[in-house]
CSV table of all heavy atoms in Angstrom, one decimal:
chain,number,residue,atom,x,y,z
A,4,ALA,N,120.4,-100.9,-23.7
A,4,ALA,CA,120.8,-101.8,-24.7
A,4,ALA,C,119.6,-102.9,-24.9
A,4,ALA,O,119.4,-103.3,-26.0
A,4,ALA,CB,122.0,-102.6,-24.3
A,5,GLU,N,119.0,-103.3,-23.7
A,5,GLU,CA,118.0,-104.4,-23.8
A,5,GLU,C,116.8,-103.8,-24.5
A,5,GLU,O,116.1,-104.5,-25.3
A,5,GLU,CB,117.7,-104.8,-22.3
A,5,GLU,CG,116.6,-105.9,-22.3
A,5,GLU,CD,117.0,-107.2,-22.6
A,5,GLU,OE1,118.2,-107.4,-22.9
A,5,GLU,OE2,116.2,-108.1,-22.8
A,6,THR,N,116.5,-102.5,-24.3
A,6,THR,CA,115.4,-101.8,-25.0
A,6,THR,C,115.4,-101.9,-26.5
A,6,THR,O,114.5,-102.2,-27.1
A,6,THR,CB,115.4,-100.3,-24.6
A,6,THR,OG1,114.9,-100.1,-23.1
A,6,THR,CG2,114.3,-99.6,-25.3
A,7,PHE,N,116.7,-101.7,-27.0
A,7,PHE,CA,116.9,-101.6,-28.4
A,7,PHE,C,116.9,-103.0,-29.0
A,7,PHE,O,116.5,-103.3,-30.1
A,7,PHE,CB,118.2,-100.9,-28.9
A,7,PHE,CG,117.9,-99.4,-28.7
A,7,PHE,CD1,118.3,-98.6,-27.6
A,7,PHE,CD2,117.2,-98.7,-29.8
A,7,PHE,CE1,118.0,-97.3,-27.6
A,7,PHE,CE2,117.1,-97.2,-29.8
A,7,PHE,CZ,117.4,-96.6,-28.7
A,8,TYR,N,117.4,-104.0,-28.2
A,8,TYR,CA,117.4,-105.3,-28.6
A,8,TYR,C,116.1,-105.8,-28.8
A,8,TYR,O,115.7,-106.5,-29.7
A,8,TYR,CB,118.2,-106.2,-27.5
A,8,TYR,CG,118.2,-107.7,-27.8
A,8,TYR,CD1,119.1,-108.2,-28.8
A,8,TYR,CD2,117.4,-108.6,-27.1
A,8,TYR,CE1,119.0,-109.6,-29.1
A,8,TYR,CE2,117.3,-109.9,-27.4
A,8,TYR,CZ,118.2,-110.4,-28.4
A,8,TYR,OH,118.2,-111.7,-28.6
A,9,LYS,N,115.3,-105.6,-27.7
A,9,LYS,CA,113.7,-106.0,-27.8
A,9,LYS,C,113.1,-105.3,-29.0
A,9,LYS,O,112.2,-105.9,-29.7
A,9,LYS,CB,113.0,-105.6,-26.5
A,9,LYS,CG,113.4,-106.6,-25.4
A,9,LYS,CD,112.6,-106.2,-24.2
A,9,LYS,CE,112.8,-107.3,-23.0
A,9,LYS,NZ,112.3,-108.7,-23.4
A,10,ALA,N,113.4,-104.0,-29.2
A,10,ALA,CA,112.8,-103.3,-30.3
A,10,ALA,C,113.1,-103.8,-31.6
A,10,ALA,O,112.1,-104.1,-32.5
A,10,ALA,CB,113.2,-101.8,-30.2
A,11,VAL,N,114.3,-104.1,-31.9
A,11,VAL,CA,114.7,-104.7,-33.2
A,11,VAL,C,114.1,-106.2,-33.4
A,11,VAL,O,113.8,-106.6,-34.5
A,11,VAL,CB,116.1,-104.6,-33.4
A,11,VAL,CG1,116.9,-105.8,-32.6
A,11,VAL,CG2,116.5,-104.9,-34.8
A,12,LYS,N,114.1,-107.0,-32.3
A,12,LYS,CA,113.6,-108.2,-32.3
A,12,LYS,C,112.1,-108.3,-32.6
A,12,LYS,O,111.6,-109.3,-33.2
A,12,LYS,CB,113.9,-108.9,-30.9
A,12,LYS,CG,113.5,-110.4,-30.8
A,12,LYS,CD,113.9,-110.9,-29.5
A,12,LYS,CE,113.4,-112.4,-29.4
A,12,LYS,NZ,113.8,-113.0,-28.0
A,13,ASN,N,111.3,-107.4,-32.2
A,13,ASN,CA,109.8,-107.3,-32.3
A,13,ASN,C,109.4,-106.2,-33.1
A,13,ASN,O,108.3,-105.8,-33.1
A,13,ASN,CB,109.3,-107.0,-30.8
A,13,ASN,CG,109.6,-108.2,-29.9
A,13,ASN,OD1,109.2,-109.3,-30.2
A,13,ASN,ND2,110.3,-107.9,-28.9
A,14,LEU,N,110.3,-105.7,-34.0
A,14,LEU,CA,110.0,-104.5,-34.9
A,14,LEU,C,108.7,-104.9,-35.9
A,14,LEU,O,107.8,-104.1,-36.2
A,14,LEU,CB,111.1,-104.1,-35.8
A,14,LEU,CG,111.0,-102.8,-36.5
A,14,LEU,CD1,110.7,-101.6,-35.6
A,14,LEU,CD2,112.3,-102.6,-37.3
A,15,TRP,N,108.7,-106.2,-36.2
A,15,TRP,CA,107.7,-106.6,-37.1
A,15,TRP,C,106.3,-106.5,-36.5
A,15,TRP,O,105.2,-106.4,-37.0
A,15,TRP,CB,107.9,-108.1,-37.5
A,15,TRP,CG,107.9,-109.0,-36.4
A,15,TRP,CD1,108.9,-109.4,-35.5
A,15,TRP,CD2,106.7,-109.8,-35.9
A,15,TRP,NE1,108.6,-110.2,-34.6
A,15,TRP,CE2,107.2,-110.6,-34.8
A,15,TRP,CE3,105.4,-110.0,-36.3
A,15,TRP,CZ2,106.3,-111.4,-34.1
A,15,TRP,CZ3,104.6,-110.8,-35.6
A,15,TRP,CH2,105.0,-111.6,-34.5
A,16,GLN,N,106.3,-106.5,-35.0
A,16,GLN,CA,105.0,-106.4,-34.4
A,16,GLN,C,104.5,-105.0,-34.2
A,16,GLN,O,103.3,-104.7,-33.9
A,16,GLN,CB,105.0,-107.0,-33.0
A,16,GLN,CG,105.4,-108.6,-32.9
A,16,GLN,CD,105.5,-109.0,-31.4
A,16,GLN,OE1,105.9,-108.3,-30.6
A,16,GLN,NE2,105.1,-110.3,-31.3
A,17,PHE,N,105.4,-104.0,-34.3
A,17,PHE,CA,105.0,-102.6,-34.2
A,17,PHE,C,104.0,-102.1,-35.1
A,17,PHE,O,104.4,-102.3,-36.3
A,17,PHE,CB,106.3,-101.7,-34.1
A,17,PHE,CG,106.0,-100.2,-34.0
A,17,PHE,CD1,105.5,-99.8,-32.8
A,17,PHE,CD2,106.2,-99.4,-35.1
A,17,PHE,CE1,105.2,-98.4,-32.7
A,17,PHE,CE2,105.9,-98.0,-35.0
A,17,PHE,CZ,105.4,-97.6,-33.8
A,18,ARG,N,103.0,-101.5,-34.8
A,18,ARG,CA,102.0,-100.8,-35.6
A,18,ARG,C,101.8,-99.4,-35.2
A,18,ARG,O,101.7,-99.1,-34.1
A,18,ARG,CB,100.6,-101.6,-35.7
A,18,ARG,CG,100.6,-103.1,-36.0
A,18,ARG,CD,101.0,-103.2,-37.4
A,18,ARG,NE,100.9,-104.6,-37.9
A,18,ARG,CZ,102.0,-105.3,-37.9
A,18,ARG,NH1,103.3,-104.7,-37.6
A,18,ARG,NH2,102.1,-106.6,-38.4
A,19,PHE,N,101.9,-98.5,-36.2
A,19,PHE,CA,101.8,-97.1,-36.0
A,19,PHE,C,100.5,-96.8,-35.4
A,19,PHE,O,100.4,-96.5,-34.2
A,19,PHE,CB,102.0,-96.3,-37.3
A,19,PHE,CG,103.5,-96.3,-37.6
A,19,PHE,CD1,104.0,-97.2,-38.5
A,19,PHE,CD2,104.4,-95.4,-37.1
A,19,PHE,CE1,105.3,-97.3,-39.0
A,19,PHE,CE2,105.7,-95.4,-37.4
A,19,PHE,CZ,106.2,-96.4,-38.4
A,20,LEU,N,99.3,-96.9,-36.2
A,20,LEU,CA,98.0,-96.6,-35.7
A,20,LEU,C,98.0,-95.4,-34.7
A,20,LEU,O,97.4,-95.4,-33.6
A,20,LEU,CB,97.5,-97.9,-35.0
A,20,LEU,CG,97.4,-99.1,-35.8
A,20,LEU,CD1,97.0,-100.3,-34.9
A,20,LEU,CD2,96.5,-99.0,-36.9
A,21,GLY,N,98.6,-94.3,-35.2
A,21,GLY,CA,98.6,-93.0,-34.4
A,21,GLY,C,99.7,-92.9,-33.4
A,21,GLY,O,99.9,-92.0,-32.8
A,22,LYS,N,100.4,-94.1,-33.2
A,22,LYS,CA,101.5,-94.1,-32.2
A,22,LYS,C,102.8,-93.9,-33.0
A,22,LYS,O,103.0,-94.1,-34.1
A,22,LYS,CB,101.6,-95.5,-31.6
A,22,LYS,CG,100.3,-95.9,-30.9
A,22,LYS,CD,100.4,-97.2,-30.3
A,22,LYS,CE,99.2,-97.7,-29.5
A,22,LYS,NZ,99.3,-99.0,-28.9
A,23,THR,N,103.9,-93.5,-32.2
A,23,THR,CA,105.2,-93.3,-32.6
A,23,THR,C,106.1,-94.3,-32.2
A,23,THR,O,105.9,-94.9,-31.1
A,23,THR,CB,105.7,-91.9,-32.3
A,23,THR,OG1,105.8,-91.9,-30.7
A,23,THR,CG2,104.8,-90.7,-32.7
A,24,PHE,N,107.2,-94.4,-33.0
A,24,PHE,CA,108.2,-95.4,-32.6
A,24,PHE,C,108.8,-95.1,-31.3
A,24,PHE,O,109.1,-95.9,-30.5
A,24,PHE,CB,109.2,-95.6,-33.7
A,24,PHE,CG,110.3,-96.4,-33.5
A,24,PHE,CD1,110.2,-97.9,-33.6
A,24,PHE,CD2,111.5,-96.0,-33.2
A,24,PHE,CE1,111.3,-98.8,-33.2
A,24,PHE,CE2,112.7,-96.8,-32.9
A,24,PHE,CZ,112.5,-98.2,-32.9
A,25,SER,N,109.1,-93.8,-31.2
A,25,SER,CA,109.8,-93.3,-30.0
A,25,SER,C,108.9,-93.7,-28.7
A,25,SER,O,109.5,-94.0,-27.6
A,25,SER,CB,110.1,-91.8,-30.0
A,25,SER,OG,108.9,-91.1,-30.3
A,26,ALA,N,107.7,-93.4,-28.8
A,26,ALA,CA,106.7,-93.7,-27.7
A,26,ALA,C,106.8,-95.2,-27.4
A,26,ALA,O,106.8,-95.6,-26.1
A,26,ALA,CB,105.4,-93.5,-27.9
A,27,TRP,N,107.0,-96.1,-28.4
A,27,TRP,CA,107.1,-97.5,-28.1
A,27,TRP,C,108.3,-97.9,-27.4
A,27,TRP,O,108.5,-98.6,-26.5
A,27,TRP,CB,107.1,-98.2,-29.6
A,27,TRP,CG,107.0,-99.6,-29.5
A,27,TRP,CD1,106.1,-100.5,-28.8
A,27,TRP,CD2,107.8,-100.6,-30.2
A,27,TRP,NE1,106.4,-101.8,-29.0
A,27,TRP,CE2,107.4,-101.9,-29.9
A,27,TRP,CE3,108.9,-100.4,-31.1
A,27,TRP,CZ2,108.0,-103.0,-30.5
A,27,TRP,CZ3,109.6,-101.6,-31.6
A,27,TRP,CH2,109.1,-102.8,-31.3
A,28,LEU,N,109.5,-97.2,-27.8
A,28,LEU,CA,110.7,-97.3,-27.1
A,28,LEU,C,110.7,-97.1,-25.7
A,28,LEU,O,111.2,-97.8,-24.8
A,28,LEU,CB,111.8,-96.5,-27.8
A,28,LEU,CG,112.4,-97.0,-29.1
A,28,LEU,CD1,113.4,-96.0,-29.7
A,28,LEU,CD2,113.1,-98.4,-29.1
A,29,TYR,N,110.1,-95.9,-25.4
A,29,TYR,CA,109.9,-95.5,-24.0
A,29,TYR,C,109.2,-96.5,-23.2
A,29,TYR,O,109.5,-96.8,-22.0
A,29,TYR,CB,109.3,-94.1,-23.9
A,29,TYR,CG,110.3,-93.0,-24.0
A,29,TYR,CD1,110.5,-92.3,-25.2
A,29,TYR,CD2,111.1,-92.6,-22.9
A,29,TYR,CE1,111.4,-91.2,-25.2
A,29,TYR,CE2,112.1,-91.5,-23.0
A,29,TYR,CZ,112.1,-90.8,-24.3
A,29,TYR,OH,113.0,-89.8,-24.3
A,30,ARG,N,108.1,-97.0,-23.8
A,30,ARG,CA,107.3,-98.0,-23.1
A,30,ARG,C,108.1,-99.3,-22.8
A,30,ARG,O,108.0,-99.8,-21.7
A,30,ARG,CB,106.1,-98.4,-23.9
A,30,ARG,CG,105.0,-99.1,-23.1
A,30,ARG,CD,103.8,-99.4,-23.9
A,30,ARG,NE,103.2,-98.2,-24.3
A,30,ARG,CZ,102.2,-98.1,-25.3
A,30,ARG,NH1,101.6,-99.2,-25.7
A,30,ARG,NH2,101.7,-97.0,-25.6
A,31,ILE,N,108.9,-99.8,-23.8
A,31,ILE,CA,109.8,-100.9,-23.6
A,31,ILE,C,110.7,-100.7,-22.4
A,31,ILE,O,110.9,-101.5,-21.5
A,31,ILE,CB,110.6,-101.2,-24.8
A,31,ILE,CG1,109.6,-101.7,-26.0
A,31,ILE,CG2,111.6,-102.3,-24.5
A,31,ILE,CD1,110.2,-101.8,-27.3
A,32,ALA,N,111.3,-99.4,-22.4
A,32,ALA,CA,112.3,-99.1,-21.5
A,32,ALA,C,111.6,-99.1,-20.1
A,32,ALA,O,112.2,-99.5,-19.1
A,32,ALA,CB,113.1,-97.8,-21.7
A,33,GLY,N,110.4,-98.4,-20.0
A,33,GLY,CA,109.7,-98.3,-18.7
A,33,GLY,C,109.4,-99.6,-18.1
A,33,GLY,O,109.5,-99.8,-16.9
A,34,ASN,N,108.9,-100.6,-19.0
A,34,ASN,CA,108.7,-102.0,-18.5
A,34,ASN,C,110.0,-102.7,-18.1
A,34,ASN,O,109.8,-103.3,-16.9
A,34,ASN,CB,108.1,-102.8,-19.7
A,34,ASN,CG,106.8,-102.3,-20.0
A,34,ASN,OD1,106.0,-101.7,-19.2
A,34,ASN,ND2,106.2,-102.6,-21.2
A,35,LEU,N,111.0,-102.5,-18.6
A,35,LEU,CA,112.3,-103.1,-18.3
A,35,LEU,C,112.9,-102.5,-16.8
A,35,LEU,O,113.3,-103.1,-16.0
A,35,LEU,CB,113.4,-102.8,-19.2
A,35,LEU,CG,113.3,-103.7,-20.5
A,35,LEU,CD1,114.3,-103.2,-21.6
A,35,LEU,CD2,113.5,-105.2,-20.2
A,36,ILE,N,112.5,-101.2,-16.6
A,36,ILE,CA,112.9,-100.6,-15.4
A,36,ILE,C,112.0,-101.0,-14.3
A,36,ILE,O,112.5,-101.3,-13.2
A,36,ILE,CB,112.7,-99.0,-15.5
A,36,ILE,CG1,113.8,-98.4,-16.4
A,36,ILE,CG2,112.9,-98.3,-14.2
A,36,ILE,CD1,113.7,-97.0,-16.9
A,37,VAL,N,110.7,-101.2,-14.6
A,37,VAL,CA,109.8,-101.7,-13.6
A,37,VAL,C,110.3,-103.2,-13.1
A,37,VAL,O,110.3,-103.6,-12.0
A,37,VAL,CB,108.4,-101.8,-14.1
A,37,VAL,CG1,107.4,-102.7,-13.2
A,37,VAL,CG2,107.8,-100.4,-14.1
A,38,ASP,N,110.6,-104.0,-14.3
A,38,ASP,CA,111.1,-105.4,-14.0
A,38,ASP,C,112.4,-105.4,-13.2
A,38,ASP,O,112.5,-106.2,-12.3
A,38,ASP,CB,111.3,-106.1,-15.3
A,38,ASP,CG,110.0,-106.4,-16.0
A,38,ASP,OD1,109.0,-106.5,-15.5
A,38,ASP,OD2,110.2,-106.8,-17.2
A,39,TYR,N,113.3,-104.4,-13.4
A,39,TYR,CA,114.5,-104.3,-12.8
A,39,TYR,C,114.2,-104.1,-11.3
A,39,TYR,O,114.8,-104.8,-10.3
A,39,TYR,CB,115.4,-103.3,-13.3
A,39,TYR,CG,116.6,-102.9,-12.3
A,39,TYR,CD1,117.6,-103.8,-12.1
A,39,TYR,CD2,116.5,-101.8,-11.5
A,39,TYR,CE1,118.6,-103.5,-11.2
A,39,TYR,CE2,117.5,-101.5,-10.6
A,39,TYR,CZ,118.6,-102.4,-10.5
A,39,TYR,OH,119.5,-102.1,-9.6
A,40,PHE,N,113.4,-103.1,-11.0
A,40,PHE,CA,113.2,-102.9,-9.6
A,40,PHE,C,112.4,-103.9,-8.9
A,40,PHE,O,112.5,-104.1,-7.6
A,40,PHE,CB,112.5,-101.5,-9.4
A,40,PHE,CG,113.3,-100.3,-9.5
A,40,PHE,CD1,113.1,-99.3,-10.7
A,40,PHE,CD2,114.4,-100.0,-8.6
A,40,PHE,CE1,114.0,-98.3,-10.8
A,40,PHE,CE2,115.2,-98.9,-8.8
A,40,PHE,CZ,115.0,-98.1,-9.9
A,41,ARG,N,111.6,-104.6,-9.6
A,41,ARG,CA,110.9,-105.8,-9.1
A,41,ARG,C,111.8,-107.0,-8.7
A,41,ARG,O,111.7,-107.6,-7.6
A,41,ARG,CB,109.8,-106.1,-10.0
A,41,ARG,CG,108.9,-107.3,-9.5
A,41,ARG,CD,107.9,-107.7,-10.4
A,41,ARG,NE,106.9,-106.5,-10.7
A,41,ARG,CZ,106.5,-106.3,-11.9
A,41,ARG,NH1,106.9,-106.7,-13.0
A,41,ARG,NH2,105.6,-105.1,-12.0
A,42,HIS,N,112.8,-107.1,-9.6
A,42,HIS,CA,113.7,-108.3,-9.4
A,42,HIS,C,115.1,-107.9,-8.9
A,42,HIS,O,115.9,-108.9,-8.6
A,42,HIS,CB,113.7,-109.2,-10.6
A,42,HIS,CG,112.3,-109.7,-11.1
A,42,HIS,ND1,111.5,-110.5,-10.3
A,42,HIS,CD2,111.6,-109.3,-12.1
A,42,HIS,CE1,110.3,-110.7,-11.0
A,42,HIS,NE2,110.4,-110.0,-12.1
A,43,LYS,N,115.3,-106.6,-9.0
A,43,LYS,CA,116.7,-106.1,-8.8
A,43,LYS,C,117.8,-106.9,-9.6
A,43,LYS,O,118.9,-107.0,-9.2
A,43,LYS,CB,117.0,-106.3,-7.3
A,43,LYS,CG,116.2,-105.4,-6.3
A,43,LYS,CD,116.6,-104.0,-6.5
A,43,LYS,CE,115.8,-103.1,-5.6
A,43,LYS,NZ,116.1,-101.7,-5.9
A,44,LYS,N,117.3,-107.1,-10.8
A,44,LYS,CA,118.4,-107.7,-11.8
A,44,LYS,C,117.9,-107.5,-13.1
A,44,LYS,O,116.7,-107.2,-13.4
A,44,LYS,CB,118.6,-109.1,-11.5
A,44,LYS,CG,117.4,-110.0,-11.8
A,44,LYS,CD,117.8,-111.4,-11.5
A,44,LYS,CE,116.7,-112.4,-11.9
A,44,LYS,NZ,117.0,-113.8,-11.7
A,45,THR,N,118.7,-107.5,-14.1
A,45,THR,CA,118.4,-107.5,-15.5
A,45,THR,C,119.3,-108.4,-16.3
A,45,THR,O,120.5,-108.3,-16.3
A,45,THR,CB,118.5,-106.0,-16.0
A,45,THR,OG1,118.1,-106.0,-17.4
A,45,THR,CG2,119.8,-105.4,-16.0
């Protein structure tokens, strides 16, 4: 849920430039997962 919330909030910042939207989503999710394990909370 947080991944999609961040995606819609920052959609204006997304630039294709050879990248895909799905790859951007996975990167957001991956960063949130790292943050979760670092702080054990979300």
Side-chain angles (χ1 to χ4, degrees):
E5 183 74 6
T6 296
F7 284 96
Y8 177 76
K9 284 182 175 293
V11 73
K12 184 179 177 182
N13 299 295
L14 192 60
W15 63 276
Q16 293 181 329
F17 174 70
R18 296 291 180 270
F19 287 96
L20 300 175
K22 299 178 180 179
T23 61
F24 177 75
S25 55
W27 187 54
L28 282 179
Y29 274 101
R30 192 176 303 173
I31 293 172
N34 289 337
L35 287 170
I36 290 167
V37 170
D38 287 342
Y39 165 74
F40 282 115
R41 183 178 295 135
H42 305 295
K43 290 296 181 182
K44 66 179 181 178
T45 179

